[in-house]
Amino acid sequence: MSVVMTLLKRDLAALMPGSSRGNSLLPLLFFLAVAMLFPFAVGPDAELLGATGGGMIWVAALLAAILPLDRLLAPDLESGFFDQWALRGVTEEVIVAVRLLAHWLSFGPFILLASFPASALLGIDGATLHTVLLGLLAGTPGLAAIGIIISAVTVGLRSGGAALSGLLMIPLAVPLLIFGAGALSTGGEGGLALTGAISLVLVAIAPFAGGAAIRATREG
Amino acid sequence: MEPCRLAASDLACRRGDRVLFSGLAFALETGEACHVTGPNGIGKSSLIRILSGLMRPFAGEVTHTGSMGLVDERLALDEHLPLGKALGFWERIDRCSDASGAIAAMQIAHLLDVPVRYLSTGQRKRAAIARLLNSGRRIWLLDEPLNGLDTQAKGAVEALVAQHCGGGGIALVASHQDFAVPDIRKLHLPDFIA
């Protein structure tokens, strides 16, 4: 247990916004910037903004989750951390599971909070915001899980890993987006439940998929 | 302390389409040290990675009793942190309660406040060996442990290896330099070229 806590503490120090490792507030600011610029691009039609704003928040959340992917796992693999963990019997699955939690904590709660100012900027009403928040709560763990799997799969690539991980993330995130943002138009709880279900499946497989990908990189 | 053992039988290593060595066999018992020699590119580092279980051998198998510790060219310390904190992370993972012995042995006490990225090659090596000491591992796998070390630190590492083996541990050292430890066995890797 203490090993997990030690790992989590290090991961949070590295990934949290404003931490010593120099991880920036960029994903969060990026999210807010999209919400801020969208009304300028679409025009001040309150009805249109209210109807599309919830979906816009979802797209902005997805893009904000992509930003930290290239330094999620690669630095630790390059500097030999995974080798030293392996020799100590700390499995890649445990590392990836802890990193997944830290990755979600570093953007999920902040995006939920930032949804309040974003909804004001987009003119979204209270009921819609409620659905958006529930959807993001159910969906962001899934986004984090997709992110860490892709990060592990592309970790062995010498260059272009960041661009590729962004491209890979988008099709995989489509189901989450369809049900999460789709709950806005139907107003139903079915979409939210499906978003949560997809998230749970992704979170459950991420440590094993990620761990296997990291071991495969080592063999090369 | 319980005895430890490191043995390899009929080991072969392939990198790309080249077989680096084959038919390699040895057995190290408690208290033995072994110096793996050979020119660059002969497969010393690959042998260390195979023995540590990080790489699968092309053929043959490795058996070991006892925990293994590795020092290689990759430091596995957070570059932006002061050395003391970076080592502290591994002390907590290794459940090491007292790191002062290792810090004194490798003479890095004055570096504990210096961020790892400012350390020289030799200072990094000292830090890696201090972590190995703190980890309490029984089988030491050292890949070029003397690189970048000055004469005095070199002597200290050799003394530590002698002391470790005297205490019933095993050390396998891959180095193209001389490694002065009493009764050290030699494994000349070019003898096993396929």
Side-chain angles (χ1 to χ4, degrees), chain A residues 3-49:
Chain A
V3 170
V4 169
M5 287 315 291
T6 308
L7 290 172
L8 184 63
K9 221 175 123 191
R10 173 173 177 270
D11 287 356
L12 286 177
L15 291 172
M16 273 300 186
S19 67
S20 56
R21 206 182 196 173
N23 196 351
S24 62
L25 289 161
L26 197 64
L28 191 60
L29 293 176
F30 186 82
F31 175 83
L32 282 172
V34 172
M36 230 178 288
L37 292 173
F38 187 63
F40 289 109
V42 181
D45 182 345
E47 202 171 315
L48 183 64
L49 278 177

Side-chain angles (χ1 to χ4, degrees), chain B residues 13 15 18-21 38-46 144 176 189-190 193:
Chain B
C13 168
R15 297 298 278 164
R18 227 157 50 92
V19 176
L20 291 179
F21 55 80
N40 298 140
I42 199 77
K44 298 193 293 291
S45 296
S46 296
E144 300 289 357
H176 58 268
L189 218 45
I193 287 182

